[in-house]
Structures are given as structure tokens and as C-alpha cells.
Amino acid sequence: MSKDERPIAVKIAESVRSRDSRVTELSDFYRWYSEYTRNMSIDVRCIALDELVGWAPDPVTGNLSHHSGKFFSVEGLNVEAPGSPVPHWTQPIINQPELGILGILVKEFDGVLHCLMQAKMEPGNVNGVQLSPTVQATRSNYTRVHAGLSVPYLEYFRDSSRHKLITDVRQSEQGSWFYQKRNRNMVVEVTGDVEVLDGFCWLTLGQLHQLLAVDDLVNMDARTVLACLPFAGAGPLMAASSADSEFRAALLRSCQGPADGPGSTDEVLQWITDVRSRSEVIATKMPLRALEHWKRGDYSIAHETGRFFELMAVDVQAGSREVQRWTQPMIKPCDPGIVAFLVKQVEGTLQVLVHALVEPGYLDVAELSPTVQCTPRNFELLPPEALPPLLGEITGARPDQIRFDATLSEEGGRFYHARNRYVIVEADADATFDHPDYRWMTVRELVGLLRHSHYVNIQARSLVACLHSLSGQPSAA
Amino acid sequence: MSKDERPIAVKIAESVRSRDSRVTELSDFYRWYSEYTRNMSIDVRCIALDELVGWAPDPVTGNLSHHSGKFFSVEGLNVEAPGSPVPHWTQPIINQPELGILGILVKEFDGVLHCLMQAKMEPGNVNGVQLSPTVQATRSNYTRVHAGLSVPYLEYFRDSSRHKLITDVRQSEQGSWFYQKRNRNMVVEVTGDVEVLDGFCWLTLGQLHQLLAVDDLVNMDARTVLACLPFAGAGPLMAASSADSEFRAALLRSCQGPADGPGSTDEVLQWITDVRSRSEVIATKMPLRALEHWKRGDYSIAHETGRFFELMAVDVQAGSREVQRWTQPMIKPCDPGIVAFLVKQVEGTLQVLVHALVEPGYLDVAELSPTVQCTPRNFELLPPEALPPLLGEITGARPDQIRFDATLSEEGGRFYHARNRYVIVEADADATFDHPDYRWMTVRELVGLLRHSHYVNIQARSLVACLHSLSGQPSAA
């Protein structure tokens, strides 16, 4: 079989195993990256909401939107969830009906797939720059509403028929902060020459997997696109060998199996139907001005308890972005969160405990989420039954149970310093947890669902990328 | 293998081949059915909108809703579809946020699967009674909002964990008349005794398939549930034999193949992502009172051209239903429609030409619809480019090209005398039609998508049921 005819899953598996690359050594990457970010000037200043330029509250509703009608708006949301621990609340929410593109360009060098990644500045990043997909653009971005520079490499994704489309699926984003937002997660393979612009570099999946373990380096948009790659199905290449640790062997087995067989997948789909049918949640947009228990100050709209999150505004001056200076509203969480998968080995195969979680911003009631996804501090004020049942298993895990542990950032274009501890904890094989909203699944089942919209939420997708990062060779080149 | 361990697809294939049954001979069925319907008294009278009892227009918006807040409401919808032949319009729409249950109970008799079907009266049926699923209930129905009788057999579907759940998937309904409506399509297999109540009877799939060819007999709800059965995968049982006609052999091959293989399914999913991403349609609810070009008369809210559909009201008196007398608003289409699949044989396998159609009531922009789905008379007033491109291929088909042709009714609980001609036309093998919104697919691919919500619209599901009806043995018992 010629190199070009290899199935994409095989190319992916080979790239995962390529922990170093003839294109960019990881040590060179670090050198380049730190130099690039050092030279990048960025100044993000919190400003009063009234100081926003081009953004104004609607005189009637108080909803905040851009005078162009583009980008996004901040509105109010009324949530009724009868029978749940918090049956009613109101909150601000970001309404961004535009479908954006998150795209990674991939290309083989010496027969190994590489991803073109971008060192991208976003105002909400704690560290200014993070490693991002090749393209990360809202429709307003690329239709040039803010008269900025054009989006490099966009043409590969807007006219993908000229290249090989590997992944193209619309996925949701944070269901507690976004109203029905979706982005198109795309991977396009090219064979021709690609000019590498300033701020971009080629990395293998194996290299990206190593970088995932670094705090605040691989950004949320890169993680979700990586999770949507058609992993698995690579057969012998991903078969466990005697050299593997027991954990890695179980993980590899969990990534194999029929793509979407009639058996287990049907049961998973019926379970999702059941959760979505019995969960009643009615989310209705309301005027931002009319929110209950939220107070508008000069610098923020914040919950009267000081918990959850704030709506605030920033003035940004940056040395490298489509527009050099702008102001915008952002959402700033008050505390860091925890996002965790509990996993266990069952007859040599890794299983992941998934939670079908209802969030008000989802288009379709509930999505599969991590075992635990929460901001622990918020629960000091909520009824005890609202506390995620398995939080203690994560925060109290023994060091030898922790398979992955890194603090990663959420999207820096809308969220200010939003960080979560992403953890994968291995439970004992006999761990059980019987709850109709939770289910043990294989990685293969999750990957099968990722071909569709509305099934796996953004936090779980990040963890799927982290899980895949544990499947590479520990040391071999 | 004991009978009980046969895969469900095998049981289904066997039931499809059972064109007669030891439980009910088809001739006995007709006798029973005509006697039952003759004894059923039903009187449906069109009344003025003001005569509706329990239904009142909102003083501000004019939206029509029930005083209980249950059932459904009729509201206005503003649709913007920039770039399409009709870029803007307003219309009344039914908003029914409740998730209903459409359920068929199945059980083996002498080793053959039978479906418990109901002769059910609905006010909108041209003939009063049609053959319906075992259960057809909105949440208001079964939570007894209108103080009627309880819904028989409902317990099998509300507590399906005690039985074998074969199908459970939420599917959309008419995207031009309903705002994001979905019903749960369920099939539950029981092994214990089931009392057959008055108005119910057991039929095999083979018998139901024969009845599908009869005008206005098998109702819309029965058709959609039948389409969601896990057909295919029955291997040899569904293999084409030399006794089969060329068409039937091609159809059987089209029903086989990998459930959801990584190849073709990924391409289909990417195509759906592409259509949904490039189609811009913004549907916003608006006051019913503020609709443009719709006129309120005493008896209806109708379009000023007399085309499309009307909102009207009925007074119903019936001898057998949960409530004996009631009034309700209904949607009455002004003209009958055409719903058609164009199919062709490619290397001995049947392919179906599917149209990814944007309708304003869909939750997710577009769904796969028949090749042609329209009300021809409406197009006399619309721009010529709005006319479905392949309508002529259907209306002008030679008799020997027509594989299925019956006039079937849409849901009689909401729609008054809504009928469509359902047609399957076989094109020549070299027929091509190149359009980015259309795609040739196998039946197997459609059946794979039917395991998920939001992919295949209600009209296409009816046609999938009709296609399956052509796969049974032409004569053998």
C-alpha cells in the first residue's frame, strides 16, 4: 500500500507515536515558542462597562451588543428545571448565533502527519498566548466586520473540497455560558506546499500530546478539534503489546472495537434519549436588566453572593491580532473548576464514567460530560444535593491513581482567566456507581459519538484529547 | 440458537416475510376494521375561532393557547432565509414543547413478531379512523390534563426497563408547521400476556406493509415508528435470491452492509455538516397578530392568496376517545402535496436521492427529506426557482417506473385533511443529478441515521417505511 492510501486512522496512530519530528524537535519548539511569546506585546486592561467602544446596552432590555449586530451579545436567561436541586435561576448568557470555524491543517512530512498550530494571543488567556488551531475564526472575523487583517489559511477550510476533509462536525461549547453556541471542528489534509507564516509551526500528534500535559499551553479550541479526529480503527498499530503498562494496554483496547456497532451504541443512544426525555429544563431568554440576584456595578454584572461568574469588560492592545486595539465584554469565572474522568479497567479494557449533564445553553437538553465538572466553591451556597456525587473520588485520589493532571484554560476570546484542573483518575476495578444519569463507556464509543453534533460536551472533548495523549509510546521516537 | 436469542434484526426480517399470520388473517382484519370504524361515531364540525372553548388568544400577541398552558399553542414565526428563492416570510406555527410518546408494542406469536396496532379516531382524518401505534400520547394526554380516560398500554412505554426496549429515539415532525416539535418513537417487546382491548389488533410487519399501500389507512405516527425499527443486518434472511425481481434484489442489497462504517457514513455526516453550515435560516417567534399577508376571518387565519394553509377550529364529538367532546384549533393545508423518492439501481444496489432540506421549524437547520416534498399549487405564486427541481420526474414518471404510489394522511390530531401522494419512482440507472443539497444514499445509510435525532424528516421516514414494505415476499405466507 502506498503511503497515500493508508487509512486516516493509521496515519493518525503513526503520528501519535511520533513523539519527535524531523520538522520540529520539541526542544526547538519550546525555544521558538518562548521567544515568539516574549516578543508579543499584549496589554489587557479591565475597564468600566460604560467604557466599551462599539458596544452598548439596549435601552429596553439592557442586553449588550455590538453596533454592527455581529460578534455576540450578552443577554439574560431564565432557567426552570423542576425537580432538580436548583429548580430555578436567572443568569447572563452569551448569545453568539454565528457558526465559527476551528480548523487544523494537517500534512505529511517524511510520511508522518503534522498539524499546523498557531501561537495565538487571546485577551482572556492568563498567559496571553496559547497554542491554537491553524484557524480559529468567527464568521464576523472572516467576513471582516472589524476591518482587521484577513485570517490566514482560512481558504483551506472555506473551500475544503479542493483538499481532503478528514473531520467536519459542529460541536457545542460551554452550556452554562453560551446560548446554543456551536463551532465547526474541521481537519483538512493537504499535500501541496504550505507556507509557514510567522507564529505557526508543524507538530506531530505525539508532540501535541506531550504539550497537553503542560499547564495553560494547548488552548480549548485546539483540544476540541484534536478530540474530533477519527482516532481508533488502526488495528495492529494500536494493539497493546507486552511492553505496555497495564493502564496503557487497557486504554488502547478501549480505543478499538467496532466503530458504532448495533449493540452497545444502540444502548448508549437509548440511554441518551431517556435522559433527554425525562429531564425537564426550560431555558428562556430574558432581558439582561431583569435578572434576579445579579447586580450591575460600574465594572461588572455580578451575582450578589460574589460566586459563579461576572460579566466584565476589557480594553485590549496587542502586537499581533486581526485588529490592534479593541474593547469587548468577557465572562470571568469567580473560581477555578475541576473537570475529571473517573476511569476503571474492566477485563483489560478501560471504561470511562460519563455523566449526561443538563445545561441551560444546550440545543438538546443534555450532553455527555465528564464524571465531575464543577466549580467546588459554588457549592458552598447551593443545596448539598447539588454537589456532584463523585467530587470526593477526584479530589481525594491517591497519587498512584492519577493518570493525567494539568490546569488548562477555556477559550480566551470570551472567557477571562477561566481555568480548570483537568484530571483523569483511575478507580479500582470493582468501583461501581449506579445512577441513571451516569454510564461507563469505552473511548471507542465516545469517539463514535463525536462524529455527530450535540452528544459530547466541550469539557468531555478536552478530556478525550487528554486520554488519547496517554496512548502514545512513553519514550520511543 | 433458541428463538429468544435471535437478534432483533432477524426477528424483524422474519416478521416482514410473514404476510399472513395465525393471529389475524388479513381478510379478518379488514372485516374487523370496517365493522369497528362503522360503529365509531365521530362528528367534526368547523367552528368560528371565537367558538373555541378553553382556547383564547393572548390579548397582546394574539397567540392562541389553552387555558391550562398545556397541549400546544399557535404562534407567529418570522423567517429570514437570505439567498434563498423566498428570502423572507411570516407564518403561523404550532408550538408544542411537550415530548409525546409514539409507541408500538411487539410480541412474538408462534415465533413471529407482531405489532399491537390501534384503530384510532382523530378529528383531522378524512376518514375518521386510521391504523395507529399502540400508544400515541402527548404528555398532556397521559398526565390527564383534559380529565379524559387513561391511555391504554402506556405503562409499557413509561416503564420500559421492565421489558425489552427495541427502539427509543426522538424524531422531529413537520418542520413547516411545527416549531421544533419532537416525539419519542418507541418499540417495546413483551413476552408476557397482553390483553387485547377493544379497537386493538396484532399484525405482522408483513401485514402492515401490505396495508401501507392502502390510501389513508396506516397513519403518520405508525409510519414513523415503523421506519425507526432496526431493520437490516439480518444477513442471509435478507439476502437477495434468484426468485426476486431485479428491483427487490437491489432493494435488499441496499438494506444490507455495515451499520455505520467509517467510510460512507463519515462522508454523509460531513455533507450534512456542510449543508447546515452554509444554510442561513433565522426563525424567530413573533406575535400571531403581527403576521404579514395573513388575514384573520371569523373561521380562519389564512394567507391573503388563499394558498399554503389555514389555521381553523373544530368542534369534535366522538364515541371513542379520551374525552368525548372538545374543541381545538387545527392546521388545514389548502391543497394536497407530493412526497417522493427518486431511486435508481447502481451495480445491483438501490440508491435513494435524498434532499437536505431547510425548514424553519427544525431544531438544527436542515434534515434529510424526500427527493421531492412540496405542494405543487403553492408554486404558482412563488418564484420559478423555488420549484423543486425534480418534480417533473415524479409527476411525469411512466407507470413501469412507479414502485409505490398511495395517498397517505399526515397527523390527524393537529392537521385537518392533510394528505400527500407518497410515491417511489425508479429512474434509469444512468440518471444523474448534481446538486450540493442532494445526495444518493443506500437504505442502510438512512436506517443508520434513524438511530439519531434530527437527521431524517417525517416525510422521508414515511417513505423509508414504504420502501421497507417493498422488501417483503410478494406472495409466500
Side-chain angles (χ1 to χ4, degrees), chain A residues 364-375:
Chain A
D364 202 1
V365 188
E367 294 195 10
L368 303 191
S369 74
T371 321
V372 170
Q373 169 191 319
C374 72
T375 302

Side-chain angles (χ1 to χ4, degrees), chain A residues 68-72 95-101 137-143 145 180-184 414, chain B residues 280:
Chain A
S68 66
K70 299 282 175 172
F71 302 113
F72 60 93
N95 184 19
Q96 183 171 342
E98 292 184 359
L99 184 73
I101 290 177
T138 61
R139 193 182 281 256
S140 297
N141 272 148
Y142 59 73
T143 53
V145 171
Q180 302 187 352
K181 186 191 178 190
R182 284 169 299 182
N183 270 324
R184 207 164 163 178
R414 297 289 171 268
Chain B
E280 229 184 318

Side-chain angles (χ1 to χ4, degrees), chain A residues 99 139 165-166 168 170 182 184 260-261 266 269-270 273-274 276-277 363-364 451-452 454-455, chain B residues 99 139 165-166 168 170 182 184 260-261 266 269-270 273-274 276-277 363-364 451-452 454-455:
Chain A
L99 184 73
R139 193 182 281 256
L165 187 59
I166 291 174
D168 189 6
R170 295 165 319 138
R182 284 169 299 182
R184 207 164 163 178
D260 218 355
D266 278 341
L269 294 177
Q270 289 176 358
T273 296
D274 178 61
R276 286 177 168 171
S277 300
L363 188 68
D364 202 1
R451 303 191 301 164
H452 306 270
H454 317 306
Y455 280 133
Chain B
L99 185 73
R139 193 183 281 255
L165 187 59
I166 291 174
D168 189 5
R170 296 164 318 139
R182 281 167 303 182
R184 207 164 162 177
D260 218 355
D266 278 340
L269 294 176
Q270 288 176 358
T273 296
D274 178 61
R276 286 176 168 171
S277 299
L363 188 68
D364 202 0
R451 304 191 301 163
H452 305 272
H454 317 305
Y455 280 133

Side-chain angles (χ1 to χ4, degrees), chain B residues 10-123:
Chain B
V10 171
K11 293 189 187 185
I12 288 170
E14 287 173 351
S15 182
V16 167
R17 289 158 58 135
S18 293
R19 306 211 117 205
D20 230 317
S21 143
R22 267 144 290 189
V23 177
T24 320
E25 298 269 341
L26 212 48
S27 52
D28 291 339
F29 164 79
Y30 279 118
R31 218 171 358 255
W32 166 81
Y33 189 78
S34 63
E35 190 173 346
Y36 183 82
T37 52
R38 208 166 36 239
N39 292 334
M40 180 86 95
S41 128
I42 170 158
D43 179 25
V44 180
R45 206 163 46 83
C46 295
I47 56 172
L49 294 171
D50 285 348
E51 292 179 83
L52 283 166
V53 179
W55 295 82
D58 180 273
V60 176
T61 60
N63 293 350
L64 203 55
S65 58
H66 193 254
H67 66 78
S68 65
K70 301 281 177 176
F71 303 114
F72 60 93
S73 59
V74 184
E75 310 183 11
L77 195 72
N78 180 79
V79 186
E80 307 288 344
S84 76
V86 186
H88 166 78
W89 74 92
T90 65
Q91 63 163 87
I93 199 142
I94 299 179
N95 185 17
Q96 184 171 343
E98 292 184 1
L99 185 73
I101 290 177
L102 310 178
I104 294 182
L105 203 63
V106 299
K107 179 176 150 75
E108 281 189 324
F109 294 94
D110 289 336
V112 177
L113 220 51
H114 284 65
C115 303
L116 188 60
M117 304 304 288
Q118 179 183 12
K120 188 173 170 69
M121 193 288 298
E122 296 276 12

Side-chain angles (χ1 to χ4, degrees), chain A residues 343-354:
Chain A
V343 300
K344 69 172 177 179
Q345 295 181 36
V346 178
E347 292 167 12
T349 298
L350 203 70
Q351 294 193 343
V352 180
L353 187 57
V354 171

